[in-house]
Amino acid sequence: MAKNLRGDLQVASANRLVDGMVVFLDAAAQWTDRLDRADVARDEKAAERLLERARAESATVVDPFLVAVTEDGAGRIEPLSLREKIRAAGLTFAAIAAESVRYA
Amino acid sequence: MPDAHFYRYDDYDRRLVAERVEQFRDQVRRRLAGELTEDQFKPLRLTNGLYLQLHAYMLRIAIPYGTLSSRQLRKLAEISRTYDRGYGHFTTRQNLQLNWIKLEQAPDAIAALAEVDMHSIQTSGNCVRNTTADHFAGAAADEIEDPRVWCEIVRQWSTLHPEFSFLPRKFKIAITGSPNDRAAVRVHDIGLRFWRNGEGEAGFEVIVGGGLGRTPMIGKTLREFLPKDELLAYLEATLRVYNRHGRRDNLFKARIKILVHEIGAEKMREEVEAEYESMKDSALKLAPETIEAIARQFAPPPLQSKRTRVPEVEALKLEDRNFALWLKSNVAPHRAPGHAIVTASLKPAGAPPGDASAAQMEGVADIADAYSFSEIRVSHEQNLVLPHVAIEDLPAVYRALGRLGFAEANIGKITDIIACPGLDYCALANARSIPVAQRISNHFAALARQHDIGDLKIKISGCINACGHHHVGHIGILGVDKNGAELYQISLGGDVDFGHTALGTILGPAVPAERVVEAVDTLVATYLEVRTDGERFVDTYRRIGIQPFKDRVYATV
Amino acid sequence: MPLFREGSATPVVNDGPVPMPLAEWFKDRSSTAVALANTDDVTSLQPRLAGLALITLHFPKFSDGRAYSQARILRERLGYRGELRATGGVLQDQLPFLLRCGFDSFESDQKGFGEALLKARTLFSVVYQPTEDGRPTVSQLRLQHRSVTLSAAQ
């Protein structure tokens, strides 16, 4: 059960400039492609500071923004919105493979 | 390899595209070096077809008038392998989108395109986009004139147009050469339709201000008959009026359709004609030699006289029911006796509509080399077309397409679904499109049933921008986001057939994702119960109206 | 903002007349320079163009392209031959378009703008559209080439 449905928990995300890949800001102010390493802001003040830090580190990424997340009992975080879930986890169907001549 | 039977770049065209690649390479370099901000860079990358989507950059490649040579299609396959994940998505605007491009490699990808005389110039941004045409152009039995000649003339005129590269909003032109419009000319910013006047002279009906998106509108005829050689002058006049007077205060009201709607077609016509007066005798007037030189390049391939009745085809029809169905739905009449136009369905059951792997693209290129004069078309319904196939080769083409998974006998049927990439890829989307299309496609996969249901166009968009053309689907499906849940609004009765162009009517409250298939099934069942002989779904809808459908779909809610 | 003219990679001294907004200029036509908003109707200047040495056209932002049309109407339809300046902070990537529409001076504070200006006319050696910059279009070049080939063949 999600602790927080209003999205008080936030992570900072962006797309990496060189390749567009989805990245998150970690506690060491580095961009990582791993959501589980993202620095989580736990209140509004922390979220503001997180976004500021993300913007300060935005030379290598495009347009950082905050993503509302939930955290389960095991400390695993997941974005709230479907859009951000898809950004974090990828396509919700299997794309056709380069060498396949049939789908699925 | 045989020469292409459509426009080939000359040194001028090649030089321009090469210079454009180098300009973009420099722009990318400046962006990566931090000399350009994202705000400054974004319009530059967009006019080179490069978007930033959810997971990566997306490159939109123009396929002018939907015509490709096998060599070009092989290159697209190679580019998708080298610079992407080995597959691509054919769109409703005769473009190919690659979804996993890296910014640092984008200039190389575009340079590779230039090797086969292709580009991604102006496939995005507020400029004149890729001009689309009837995908059966040059082959259709009902054609007055090949629209691709004019698309090419427009392509050249619109490429890096100094005045119209920063319009209020994007600008889409479509041209059809047939009375049976297959280019949806009434739902474009400008639609051009060939017809012959009383003197037997062919010219254009100029339709302005149509479009789908947030505010769907059917275009208004601005000129009943425009002499062909005045086309560019008239386009330039129209674009100038739009550039000066189109709204720029509100992104959602910036398309030309809003200008035409707000000032009225009559006022729009006056403004355009006034501009046109000053231009029509200018250098924009097309010299007959210019038109002829381009038209010559679209000369049809040397089709030999072929048998019109082929025993092997008749035999296979009896033997293989799916082949018989395929002949009915995927094969269209060609103007040359003994030939046919074959549509390769990019909608096999359960597949993402319009997607093809690199291997599939190469497979289609091979088939085109063997059986269709190395030519392929991309339809706005997200399928590929082999335009010049001998009837006697149909069994071989059917088998070859079958090996690629592209011989599904479903063209025009309920599983020939148009769908935009939706929330799985697109930064603008509110809901997913592809998984919805997949579920409907799987549910109705049985071919005999599809053919019993008959022609039925389902079109799905993941947001109000309507890339999936949901407004003009017989059944239109629009994904909306309601408090984080994906809901789908269903509309009925849309159509793009000429003379019947209509926008769909919303059925009722949006349904949750898991109920879409059920709702479509109910709509189909309702139709099957009350249809009369020969009536398509949309005909029944027109006869009985929306209420019976509505009652049934919402009866169980 | 620094002012650039073709032929110089460094900013030039802006010592010309100070342009007046169109409405003011109509009241008192003492200045030979007028500043237009991109919503102003350029044809209203028609009877007085001969007395003008400078017209500035404004780009409130990169993506607002109305002034390109104003420029072409001034140059091509009204025959204005004085200085035509793009204001509002022009970026180097607009230059090939601006030059083709008849602009000949530019306000920009973008780094590298002057160097880009030197190269802007040759960035694209090919043009498809006829404009008043007089460059032969691809269609015209093809027709020429064709007539040369034809006469050589005769």
Side-chain angles (χ1 to χ4, degrees):
Chain A
M1 186 60 203
K3 274 184 193 169
N4 160 30
L5 289 170
R6 288 174 298 124
D8 294 346
L9 303 187
Q10 312 265 359
V11 299
S13 183
N15 290 76
R16 199 156 64 192
L17 177 63
V18 284
D19 58 6
M21 187 186 268
V22 176
V23 287
F24 303 93
L25 196 69
D26 69 14
Q30 299 292 310
W31 293 101
T32 167
D33 57 355
R34 291 183 53 178
L35 176 61
D36 60 349
R37 296 208 177 147
D39 192 19
V40 181
R42 296 183 179 275
D43 57 46
E44 215 173 301
K45 272 234 155 63
E48 274 170 30
R49 281 198 306 271
L50 180 61
L51 187 58
E52 266 170 41
R53 271 169 47 220
R55 286 187 176 140
E57 294 300 325
S58 68
T60 58
V61 299
V62 179
D63 298 339
F65 63 102
L66 291 175
V67 174
V69 296
T70 59
E71 189 174 33
D72 65 13
R76 224 167 39 119
I77 54 175
E78 192 190 27
L80 265 176
S81 75
L82 178 60
R83 175 194 156 100
E84 292 309 321
K85 283 187 178 108
I86 292 173
R87 273 186 82 248
L91 302 180
T92 62
F93 61 92
I96 190 161
E99 302 316 317
S100 76
V101 290
R102 279 177 191 279
Y103 178 69
Chain B
M1 183 166 23
D3 252 349
H5 300 283
F6 56 95
Y7 185 79
R8 290 169 295 284
Y9 280 14
D10 63 10
D11 287 344
Y12 297 117
D13 300 309
R14 262 183 217 119
R15 220 192 299 157
L16 181 100
V17 170
E19 286 164 354
R20 176 68 164 191
V21 172
E22 289 319 305
Q23 182 196 35
F24 185 56
R25 202 182 284 286
D26 181 57
Q27 289 164 345
V28 170
R29 182 195 61 72
R30 284 188 276 141
R31 175 69 184 110
L32 291 173
E35 293 171 26
L36 286 172
T37 65
E38 185 61 19
D39 281 349
Q40 291 169 340
F41 180 63
K42 189 175 170 183
L44 304 176
R45 68 168 158 76
L46 287 178
T47 53
N48 287 287
L50 196 67
Y51 284 74
L52 182 53
Q53 297 287 36
L54 290 189
H55 315 282
Y57 291 92
M58 180 268 277
L59 180 64
R60 184 181 288 157
I61 297 163
I63 299 170
Y65 28 91
T67 303
L68 282 172
S69 67
S70 55
R71 182 169 158 254
Q72 289 173 323
L73 186 54
R74 278 198 193 87
K75 180 60 84 173
L76 293 176
E78 182 195 313
I79 291 171
S80 76
R81 256 196 208 104
T82 312
Y83 301 105
D84 203 273
R85 295 192 180 171
Y87 69 97
H89 175 75
F90 291 94
T91 77
T92 53
R93 294 212 72 260
Q94 299 181 320
N95 296 309
L96 177 71
Q97 292 181 177
L98 300 177
N99 295 299
W100 308 94
I101 294 290
K102 298 178 168 67
L103 177 61
E104 52 188 353
Q105 293 184 336
D108 291 338
I110 292 172
L113 275 180
E115 289 169 25
V116 291
D117 299 347
M118 294 185 76
H119 63 67
S120 59
I121 299 170
Q122 290 172 211
T123 55
S124 177
N126 295 332
C127 48
V128 181
R129 303 285 188 89
N130 185 28
T131 299
T132 53
D134 181 350
H135 45 274
F136 289 175
D142 58 2
E143 184 171 280
I144 296 167
E145 200 164 310
D146 193 332
R148 297 174 301 163
V149 175
W150 299 91
C151 292
E152 177 57 31
I153 288 169
V154 172
R155 185 191 74 81
Q156 296 186 17
W157 162 80
S158 62
T159 299
L160 307 194
H161 197 295
E163 184 179 347
F164 305 135
S165 289
F166 300 95
L167 295 168
R169 201 74 181 84
K170 58 190 169 183
F171 204 90
K172 300 174 180 177
I173 302 175
I175 310 180
T176 184
S178 299
N180 296 311
D181 174 25
R182 282 173 292 261
V185 294
R186 288 208 176 264
V187 289
H188 279 79
D189 294 290
I190 290 184
L192 299 167
R193 185 179 71 97
F194 264 110
W195 66 289
R196 267 185 218 290
N197 66 9
E199 284 83 61
E201 186 193 348
F204 297 106
E205 177 185 358
V206 183
I207 301 154
V208 176
L212 300 175
R214 189 170 295 257
T215 318
M217 286 190 190
I218 308 286
K220 315 282 187 301
T221 299
L222 225 52
R223 248 307 176 105
E224 287 290 343
F225 188 85
L226 180 74
K228 292 189 292 187
D229 57 356
E230 295 176 23
L231 177 64
L232 294 187
Y234 202 84
L235 290 180
E236 188 134 320
T238 309
L239 266 295
R240 179 171 287 175
V241 170
Y242 172 54
N243 191 39
R244 294 181 65 199
H245 303 299
R247 286 182 61 173
R248 291 176 190 261
D249 59 325
N250 181 339
L251 182 71
F252 302 128
K253 295 185 190 294
R255 295 287 287 269
I256 195 173
K257 62 190 170 189
I258 305 292
L259 176 65
V260 175
H261 180 73
E262 286 181 353
I263 69 174
E266 201 44 54
K267 175 80 176 145
M268 185 71 193
R269 186 176 299 120
E270 276 171 33
E271 295 271 346
V272 170
E273 293 288 338
E275 279 294 337
Y276 172 67
E277 262 320 295
S278 74
M279 293 175 179
K280 67 177 183 180
D281 296 316
S282 73
L284 284 168
K285 186 157 185 152
L286 287 155
E289 298 90 330
T290 298
I291 301 172
E292 279 159 29
I294 291 180
R296 247 198 319 276
Q297 302 215 39
F298 288 92
L303 299 171
Q304 315 251 306
S305 175
K306 297 277 185 182
R307 293 175 295 165
T308 51
R309 284 195 56 79
V310 181
E312 301 91 291
V313 172
E314 299 305 316
L316 189 60
K317 243 161 98 173
L318 296 174
E319 195 180 300
D320 181 346
R321 194 171 147 64
N322 286 350
F323 177 70
L325 294 176
W326 182 79
L327 286 179
K328 271 197 212 156
S329 54
N330 295 35
V331 178
H334 195 286
R335 67 166 68 130
H339 289 81
I341 306 170
V342 171
T343 301
S345 171
L346 268 53
K347 324 282 178 68
D355 280 14
S357 70
Q360 285 172 320
M361 292 185 221
E362 286 161 346
V364 172
D366 291 344
I367 298 171
D369 278 342
Y371 302 108
S372 181
F373 294 88
S374 302
E375 196 170 316
I376 302 106
R377 304 290 177 79
V378 181
S379 78
H380 81 269
E381 291 173 327
Q382 302 181 286
N383 291 306
L384 295 177
V385 173
L386 300 164
H388 309 293
V389 177
I391 289 173
E392 61 192 33
D393 291 332
L394 287 174
V397 169
Y398 171 71
R399 290 189 192 103
L401 287 173
R403 285 191 285 275
L404 298 176
F406 285 169
E408 198 87 347
N410 65 349
I411 298 305
K413 307 300 179 221
I414 192 167
T415 64
D416 185 10
I417 298 168
I418 287 184
C420 70
L423 189 58
D424 279 291
Y425 291 104
C426 177
L428 299 173
N430 292 320
R432 286 173 291 168
S433 306
I434 293 169
V436 174
Q438 290 176 306
R439 285 204 294 276
I440 297 171
S441 169
N442 281 323
H443 180 79
F444 289 100
L447 282 179
R449 176 145 185 248
Q450 290 193 50
H451 279 254
D452 176 42
I453 295 167
D455 287 357
L456 204 177
K457 293 177 195 288
I458 295 185
K459 306 193 181 197
I460 307 174
S461 306
C463 80
I464 194 73
N465 291 306
C467 296
H469 296 180
H470 64 277
H471 298 296
V472 288
H474 297 163
I475 297 177
I477 299 176
L478 166 65
V480 294
D481 168 69
K482 198 161 186 197
N483 307 323
E486 291 171 295
L487 295 183
Y488 293 85
Q489 191 180 72
I490 297 172
S491 57
L492 299 184
D495 202 345
V496 282
D497 285 357
F498 201 80
H500 297 284
T501 308
L503 304 169
T505 304
I506 294 169
L507 184 68
V511 302
E514 60 278 9
R515 281 212 55 214
V516 172
V517 170
E518 187 191 332
V520 172
D521 196 76
T522 306
L523 292 170
V524 170
T526 309
Y527 151 70
L528 291 176
E529 279 165 29
V530 302
R531 73 172 165 188
T532 58
D533 268 359
E535 222 177 35
R536 298 171 304 156
F537 177 89
V538 68
D539 302 323
T540 302
Y541 164 81
R542 285 186 195 128
R543 178 169 59 81
I544 69 173
I546 203 161
Q547 200 59 45
F549 293 101
K550 189 171 181 162
D551 292 345
R552 284 284 292 277
V553 168
Y554 295 102
T556 55
V557 176
Chain C
M1 204 179 292
L3 176 67
F4 291 86
R5 287 207 179 86
E6 266 198 285
S8 167
T10 50
V12 295
V13 183
N14 188 0
D15 54 3
V18 177
M20 295 166 73
L22 185 66
E24 273 175 50
W25 184 82
F26 268 121
K27 281 184 231 146
D28 154 29
R29 296 186 196 112
S30 58
S31 175
T32 57
V34 60
L36 267 59
N38 70 4
T39 48
D40 286 334
D41 178 10
V42 291
T43 57
S44 65
L45 286 172
Q46 186 163 20
R48 316 258 161 208
L49 276 178
L52 284 171
L54 169 67
I55 298 176
T56 69
L57 297 177
H58 193 59
F59 290 84
K61 53 185 180 185
F62 183 67
S63 56
D64 188 335
R66 280 177 277 202
Y68 294 105
S69 286
Q70 289 178 310
R72 287 192 69 195
I73 294 169
L74 278 170
R75 287 290 195 219
E76 294 175 34
R77 195 185 312 160
L78 309 181
Y80 172 66
R81 287 288 154 259
E83 182 176 340
L84 192 56
R85 182 179 302 168
T87 62
V90 177
L91 299 178
Q92 68 176 73
D93 300 286
Q94 290 167 277
L95 278 169
F97 299 130
L98 291 168
L99 290 167
R100 296 223 63 213
C101 288
F103 286 95
D104 50 14
S105 66
F106 314 89
E107 282 183 5
S108 180
D109 52 11
Q110 192 186 25
K111 195 172 149 266
F113 186 89
E115 291 77 22
L117 179 58
L118 290 181
K119 291 183 278 187
R121 260 193 212 277
T122 50
L123 200 57
F124 294 103
S125 61
V126 170
V127 297
Y128 289 114
Q129 307 81 7
T131 73
E132 209 60 2
D133 70 355
R135 293 177 65 180
T137 65
V138 169
S139 292
Q140 288 161 350
L141 293 170
R142 283 174 185 148
L143 285 176
Q144 257 173 36
H145 178 76
R146 200 176 122 87
S147 60
V148 169
T149 323
L150 285 179
S151 58
Q154 272 160 10

